[in-house]
Amino acid sequence: MLGDQLDASGPAFRGHRPGEARVLIVESDHALARLPFNGERRVLVIGAMRRFAADLRDAGWTVDLRRAPTLAEGVHAHAAEHQPDRVVMAHPTSRSGVALARRLGRQLPVPVEVREPAGFITAPGELDQVLGRRQPRMDTFYREMRLRLGILVDDHGRPEGGAWSMDKENRRPPPRSRDLGAPAPWLPPADDPLDRALRDEMAHLPRTGHGGQRVMAASAREAEQALDRFIEARLAGFGPHQDAMMDEDWAMSHPLLSGPLNLGILSPLRVARRVADALGDGAPVASVEGFVRQVIGWREYVWGWYWRREWRHANALEATGPVPAALTGGATRMRCVQVAWEGIDARGYSHHIQRLMVLGTLMLLRGTRPWAATRWFWAAHVDASAWVMAPNVVGMALFADGGQMMTKPYAASGAYINRMSDHCRTCPYDPKKATGPTACPFTTLYWDFLHRHRERLGHNPRMSLSMRNLDRRDDLSAIRLRAREVMGQLDEGTA
Ligand SMILES: Cc1cc2nc3c(=O)[nH]c(=O)nc-3n(C[C@H](O)[C@H](O)[C@H](O)COP(=O)(O)OP(=O)(O)OC[C@H]3O[C@@H](n4cnc5c(N)ncnc54)[C@H](O)[C@@H]3O)c2cc1C
Ligand code: SF4
């Protein structure tokens, strides 16, 4: 079992019964140490593997949970010790995992059977089947998925609530209160003994953040509790403020389910069906649709895109800059960035709109090298893995695939963050200003970005309004000067 396929009803278990097969789980030193991962990520992932092994043993399985320098060495050591007559595994979720499975197939003296992936509704390559000859766009894919799965569609194939997307209703700015006022999410006990032991055990590894708080479920039982809590208490409020950010509300109405989904301990189809069923119990259709779109739409779309192309070398905007120093130990006065960083530092979590419109947009506008950005996101967040990072960071946030996945870059000025958050109220910068010492770095860099990429993006019809607005500006020289200054400050950690 790979560490992100922790599902006892998954493909690798099919046809086997306890007592008839041995389950191998490898804790790889290399996988743990290859990036300065967030400490809470290691607590989540290794904790989930150990809890899964314990649950399997309770159910009568023989489990070989072993530590090894690399995954491959763990498999070889197991094979030498136990002499299996064949190896069965689910399709890995990354290209490097697929390559490893092939290598093992060549090296081991027994057959290696790779079955379908665990933890997804669609298989690699299925995105194109779902879309047929149509342009790969999320909305089209999502609609097909709803029809295929019969989720939120009536007997005539029409969307529940009268529209396929309730996005317009789900983009409200934050309320004027200190926080959203949503009931608290499910959280694991603060003094969980395994979490504590893992923090001690891995304290010597280089890491991102100071941690101390696991916020995502690390076993099937916990994942069920987290899902129940979300549906019962938080789903109703999920929709309207889905895109909003608040200084004093790190979780807003988000479900914190990406970790358990990506570890395989929670099934995406079950999650989507349970949330869709909540419609019958009175949950607002906009919230239910908004959530279902994330899971059977965005998550599967991103998974499909991972297999559609190579990501590592994509750099359509020819970005060569570093990750802003504020995110690698430096300081910043930018309130929106501070708040996102505080969440990562403490919990290894920032919510979607912080990832996309604060951290991602900052790196897009700064011109951070896409793969450096990807590695940073990977190390920073507890729920990261190869398939999810590459399309989200390289394709969605940085537009480094040249617009294959998204129709336009998510470039935005401070005006967007000002509308969708309360951060600007306590920030020394002014979101309306593009020049001068108090100009918001997002605003300055937004205009500079449009100017720098006028040739590349000018022909994109979805950018034409922005380009016309750029043409109307009579302070472009001052903006460009200020942009050079801001970039230097971002690189030094003084912005
Ligand atoms: C730059 C960037 C980096 C990201 N990195 C990760 C990552 O490392 N791991 C990860 O799981 N998600 C990632 N996402 C997607 C999304 O931000 C997270 O899934 C989400 O913030 C997790 O919080 P949540 O569980 O509270 O779910 P919500 O944001 O409220 O969404 C509900 C569920 O939908 C799924 N989902 C929604 N959007 C996406 C998406 N774009 N890609 C994949 N799944 C999605 C997740 O499983 C999530 O649990 C990233 C997005 C961006 C723009
Ligand atoms: S003014 Fe600019 S930097 Fe400050 S919080 Fe607003 S968007 Fe962020």
Side-chain angles (χ1 to χ4, degrees), residues 334-336 414 417-418 423-424 427 429-431 440-442:
M334 302 166 75
R335 189 62 194 139
C336 53
I417 296 176
N418 192 27
H423 300 321
C424 304
C427 183
Y429 294 114
D430 181 344
C440 164
F442 280 90

Side-chain angles (χ1 to χ4, degrees), residues 328-339:
T328 56
T332 182
R333 289 173 295 151
M334 302 166 75
R335 189 62 194 139
C336 53
V337 178
Q338 277 174 0
V339 173

Side-chain angles (χ1 to χ4, degrees), residues 469-484:
N469 288 337
L470 175 69
D471 291 338
R472 280 196 208 107
R473 291 210 75 115
D474 55 11
D475 54 354
L476 198 55
S477 310
I479 288 177
R480 293 189 62 203
L481 268 177
R482 173 70 186 149
R484 299 288 85 74

Side-chain angles (χ1 to χ4, degrees), residues 228-295:
D228 287 348
R229 173 75 186 158
F230 175 66
I231 293 174
E232 280 158 22
R234 291 163 62 80
L235 172 62
F238 173 77
H241 300 292
Q242 204 177 328
D243 284 0
M245 299 174 276
M246 297 181 84
D247 253 38
E248 297 196 22
D249 199 334
W250 65 270
M252 303 293 283
S253 274
H254 292 283
L256 313 179
L257 291 177
S258 49
L261 282 165
N262 297 353
L263 289 165
I265 57 182
L266 195 58
S267 143
L269 189 53
R270 226 179 76 69
V271 169
R273 288 207 191 284
R274 280 208 50 201
V275 169
D277 287 349
L279 200 57
D281 301 331
V285 67
S287 287
V288 171
E289 189 284 321
F291 182 84
V292 165
R293 158 184 293 261
Q294 305 307 313
V295 178

Side-chain angles (χ1 to χ4, degrees), residues 5 27 50 106 149 208 238 343 362 378 387 469 489:
Q5 303 176 337
E27 292 179 10
R50 293 192 190 168
R106 287 195 300 274
L149 301 169
T208 300
F238 173 77
L362 185 66
W378 198 340
W387 70 267
N469 288 337
Q489 291 172 351

Side-chain angles (χ1 to χ4, degrees), residues 43-74:
V43 169
L44 177 70
V45 175
I46 298 294
M49 287 160 79
R50 293 192 190 168
R51 288 179 179 91
F52 182 67
D55 288 346
L56 285 180
R57 286 186 184 120
D58 286 348
W61 291 92
T62 306
V63 181
D64 178 11
L65 174 68
R66 63 169 63 217
R67 193 67 168 256
T70 64
L71 192 50
E73 284 171 86

